[in-house]
Structure formats: structure tokens, C-alpha cells
Amino acid sequence: MDESYDLSIILSNSTLKCQSVWGCLRGLETFTQLVYYSDDDNALIIQATHIKDSPRYQHRGLLLDTSRHYITVTNIVRTIDAMAMNKMNVLHWHIVDDQSFPYQSEKFPELSKQGSYHSSMLYTKEDIRKIVEYARDRGIRVVAEFDVPGHTRSWGNAYPKLLVECYKRSQVVGLGPINPINNHTYEFLRELFQEVQNWFPDKYFHIGGDEIILKCWQSNPELQAYMREHGIDAKGLHALFMKRTIPLLADGSKAIVWQEVFDNRVPLDKDTLVQVWKYYWVAEMIKILKKGHKVLFSSSWYLDYLSVKWEELYEADPRQMVADVASDVLVEGIVGGEACMWGEMVDDRNVMSRVWPRTSAVAERLWSKDIERSPGELTHRRLEEHTCRMIRRGIPAEPPSGPGFCVV
């Protein structure tokens, strides 16, 4: 996406020049933010100016989790509106997880029938089409995540044989991750992913790969025998699974994975995006970059840490973090990052205020060049003003910095 634009505001002849529709969308958003009310509220005013602008990072995303709590289509659309106001361009839709499976598959309808919270809490093909098109019209890509082999307990309600039985003292105590040695696993995933990718046309597809309960695999007699026979451990099973799963994606697809896939030495194409989310993130990014892979950064931008204030989110700059300690690494390999709104403690009633305006701090860091490393007085004022702007445009953003007011 070429999102650059050249905006000139002159009384006699104002112009907006851009190389693509995406740049025009960003320039129009800037134009709307330059307009303000006169002191008596009887006129709209815009000052003469010239702005030549483009994003610092290509990938400026927000992860929205709709499995731990169901988020309505109305609020997903409202989230997209807010993203456009903040010049973000990727909605990472973490649509299913252990807790529920709200994606209504046409090929495998039992997944949502038995895996969703309720029959009213589903995302149909029409819902997805609406969201994808609504986002595209605002210059936002929608990237779906179907996290495998872990985070799949809800899949087992309909298809328990997809998952591995976990043992304790020779007794089955529950179901764990997807079975990595069952050939039927990969046939099932191929069909499911084919359908999902038809509904989510972006060339990138997130297949997760994080937080696998390796102890479950280690406890299973069938997998124990397989590991002994092939001389591998549970991490080797993880690598085996990912090596067989990534090629199941449609031709021309590019994978996004969580960092554990890289850490477990799964062979990855150079254009695979590795999303860094755990501790010691600077060292992790350096390792990934030195192997020639591209990085998405999220470690400092977890919105479910409710005590984290927007100032801390603003200060996190992944390229600067790496450049400060490793001058021999090409930081351009960090293509961007994502703020992550995991859904354990948010639902339809509070998700918008938990995301905004804290994510605005992340959005400015990812878009703007030559901004201060720590937010000063002007940054505080700017966020206060932008919060009021979002509220006036229908986004129920929470107060960013304490006492204040918005004229709406």
C-alpha cells in the first residue's frame, strides 16, 4: 500500500495529491483533523498549510480477540472507523480460540454449532464479507488468525479426534492441542483454511503456533512412541506440525506466526512475518532479523494490561530499541507492529473504551516520523484533542490523562 500524500491548503487552490487511493484516504483524514470550530462555534476554520506525509511503518495493526468474549459486528465496524481515524491499516482478527468458535463454517458447520457460546454469537459468511469490504473501503486489511495447534479446545467439541488426549497417571484427563501425527488433521485443516482464505482474501494468513501445552503431547502414549521412534522431543512435534501446516495455505499466501514457531527452529520462508510478543523482545527481534526474517512487534503493546498507560505505549519504538543496541542490524526488517486487545476482560460493553485512545498512542508511533521518544506536553494536548475528535465521531473513547472535558 502506497499511503503517501501531499496536502496543500491555500485559499485560492487547495490540492491533495497521492499515488494511490490509500494515500488519498490518509490525506482526507488529515484534512478533517485540520478543521476546527471558531470561538463562537458559528464557523469552521482551517489554516493554510502544506503537509507531505507517509507512514514510518508499513504494518500498523490492531488485534481484536472475539473468542474469549463475543464482539458484535456493530462494534467491529466501529473499531474499523476508529482505526481509519488513527491511520491504522491492519485489523488482525483473532476470531476463534479455546473458549469459543464463533466462525460459522459452511464446510464444517458443527464447529460453531457445538463450539460457539450461543447460536446468536456467530460470524456468518455475510458478516465477514461486510467487515472485510467495510475495512477495505477505509484502507484497512483484515487478516484472520486461526491459531493452531494450540488454542483449539473449542474445536474438540465437534471433532474430539482432532485433538490429543492428555494423560495423568495413565488416565485421560482431557483434550489438548491438535494431534500432529494424524494425517486426517492435515486434510481437515486444508479444507478449513481453503474456505477461510476464500472469505478473507488478504494474502497474509495468521496460523498462530504459540502457547502449546507440550506436557499434554509428552503425556500421550501414542505420541511418546512416535517421539522415541523418530528421535524428537515435544518441540520437534511442534516443528513437524508447523512444517506440514504452512504449505496447506493457498498458493501465493504468506504466513504470519507467533515467535515460538521461530524459536522452535521451524524452517520459514523469508517473507514469513514473525510476531514478537514475549519477554526479552529486543534480543528476540535481533535474532529474527539476523536470520533474514521480517518482524511484527507487539510485546510492549498488550492492551489487556490495564495498568499500562498510554505514555508507556507511546514510548515503545521497536526499530529504535534494536538500533540502540545493535548497529549492525537492518531495522527496516521490522515492518510494523500491532496493539493487542485480548478478550479475557473485555466484551461488547467496554471494548471500545479499553482500546481507545490508548491505541492512538501506538498508531502515532507507527505512523509518524521525527516525533519525541517520550510524550511531552504537546503530545498530551494532541491526544486530548484527538480523543474528543473520536468521541464527536461516535467512538466512546475513555479520558486519556485524567480530568478534562470534550465539547461534543
Side-chain angles (χ1 to χ4, degrees), residues 316-384:
D317 183 342
R319 286 182 183 169
Q320 192 62 54
M321 292 176 191
V322 171
D324 285 343
V325 298
S327 59
D328 61 329
V329 175
L330 292 175
V331 296
E332 289 75 17
I334 305 172
V335 298
E338 295 180 350
C340 297
M341 187 68 262
W342 297 105
E344 287 87 349
M345 300 301 294
V346 295
D347 61 13
D348 225 38
R349 294 165 292 183
N350 67 347
V351 64
M352 296 303 295
S353 61
R354 288 280 170 84
V355 173
W356 308 104
R358 288 191 299 160
T359 300
S360 299
V362 178
E364 178 161 300
R365 176 60 64 192
L366 289 170
W367 176 278
S368 297
K369 308 177 183 75
D370 302 321
I371 56 175
E372 52 199 350
R373 295 185 69 165
S374 296
E377 182 181 354
L378 289 177
T379 309
H380 279 78
R381 290 181 182 179
R382 194 161 61 248
L383 185 58
E384 289 281 352

Side-chain angles (χ1 to χ4, degrees), residues 216-277:
C216 175
W217 280 353
Q218 292 166 336
S219 74
N220 182 279
E222 183 185 8
L223 268 62
Q224 288 174 354
Y226 184 92
M227 287 186 282
R228 284 194 301 270
E229 181 183 349
H230 292 83
I232 60 174
D233 58 10
K235 287 186 177 181
L237 284 179
H238 181 206
L240 169 72
F241 176 86
M242 300 308 296
K243 281 192 289 187
R244 292 192 63 180
T245 299
I246 291 174
L248 301 179
L249 301 181
D251 291 344
S253 299
K254 300 180 186 299
I256 307 176
V257 297
W258 295 105
Q259 70 178 71
E260 288 95 322
V261 178
F262 171 84
D263 294 340
N264 288 341
R265 300 180 179 178
V266 176
L268 298 171
D269 292 338
K270 294 302 183 184
D271 52 6
T272 299
L273 298 185
V274 181
Q275 191 159 5
V276 174
W277 70 278

Side-chain angles (χ1 to χ4, degrees), residues 118-382:
H118 189 267
S119 59
S120 66
M121 297 180 180
L122 301 175
Y123 301 110
T124 66
K125 181 178 182 180
E126 180 58 26
D127 292 332
I128 292 168
R129 184 197 63 77
K130 175 183 177 180
I131 289 166
V132 169
E133 290 188 3
Y134 192 90
R136 183 181 183 278
D137 288 345
R138 287 151 185 80
I140 295 168
R141 298 160 44 215
V142 181
V143 175
E145 179 182 0
F146 280 68
D147 196 352
V148 292
H151 293 276
T152 51
R153 181 59 188 83
S154 63
W155 304 37
N157 294 345
Y159 297 95
K161 292 192 180 299
L162 273 178
L163 308 183
V164 166
E165 291 180 331
C166 308
Y167 282 74
K168 187 174 184 179
R169 300 188 183 94
S170 302
Q171 297 293 321
V172 176
V173 294
L175 295 175
I178 288 176
N179 189 331
I181 65 171
N182 185 344
N183 288 331
H184 174 67
T185 291
Y186 303 100
E187 296 168 8
F188 183 93
L189 290 175
R190 182 190 300 277
E191 288 193 52
L192 178 63
F193 288 170
Q194 182 182 54
E195 177 188 83
V196 173
Q197 289 194 275
N198 283 336
W199 295 6
F200 291 89
D202 196 88
K203 68 179 179 180
Y204 278 98
F205 186 79
H206 205 307
I207 59 171
D210 66 322
E211 294 186 317
I212 302 149
I213 305 174
L214 297 179
K215 287 184 178 179
C216 175
W217 280 353
Q218 292 166 336
S219 74
N220 182 279
E222 183 185 8
L223 268 62
Q224 288 174 354
Y226 184 92
M227 287 186 282
R228 284 194 301 270
E229 181 183 349
H230 292 83
I232 60 174
D233 58 10
K235 287 186 177 181
L237 284 179
H238 181 206
L240 169 72
F241 176 86
M242 300 308 296
K243 281 192 289 187
R244 292 192 63 180
T245 299
I246 291 174
L248 301 179
L249 301 181
D251 291 344
S253 299
K254 300 180 186 299
I256 307 176
V257 297
W258 295 105
Q259 70 178 71
E260 288 95 322
V261 178
F262 171 84
D263 294 340
N264 288 341
R265 300 180 179 178
V266 176
L268 298 171
D269 292 338
K270 294 302 183 184
D271 52 6
T272 299
L273 298 185
V274 181
Q275 191 159 5
V276 174
W277 70 278
K278 300 175 78 172
Y279 299 111
Y280 309 110
W281 49 81
V282 175
E284 182 76 10
M285 287 192 287
I286 291 172
K287 284 194 297 182
I288 295 168
L289 291 169
K290 284 187 173 181
K291 289 293 185 180
H293 297 297
K294 298 184 186 302
V295 171
L296 286 180
F297 178 75
S298 289
S299 297
S300 300
W301 294 329
Y302 265 43
L303 302 174
D304 53 316
Y305 295 164
L306 303 181
S307 61
V308 175
K309 297 183 178 180
W310 71 263
E311 291 90 343
E312 297 171 69
L313 304 175
Y314 190 89
E315 289 175 348
D317 183 342
R319 286 182 183 169
Q320 192 62 54
M321 292 176 191
V322 171
D324 285 343
V325 298
S327 59
D328 61 329
V329 175
L330 292 175
V331 296
E332 289 75 17
I334 305 172
V335 298
E338 295 180 350
C340 297
M341 187 68 262
W342 297 105
E344 287 87 349
M345 300 301 294
V346 295
D347 61 13
D348 225 38
R349 294 165 292 183
N350 67 347
V351 64
M352 296 303 295
S353 61
R354 288 280 170 84
V355 173
W356 308 104
R358 288 191 299 160
T359 300
S360 299
V362 178
E364 178 161 300
R365 176 60 64 192
L366 289 170
W367 176 278
S368 297
K369 308 177 183 75
D370 302 321
I371 56 175
E372 52 199 350
R373 295 185 69 165
S374 296
E377 182 181 354
L378 289 177
T379 309
H380 279 78
R381 290 181 182 179
R382 194 161 61 248

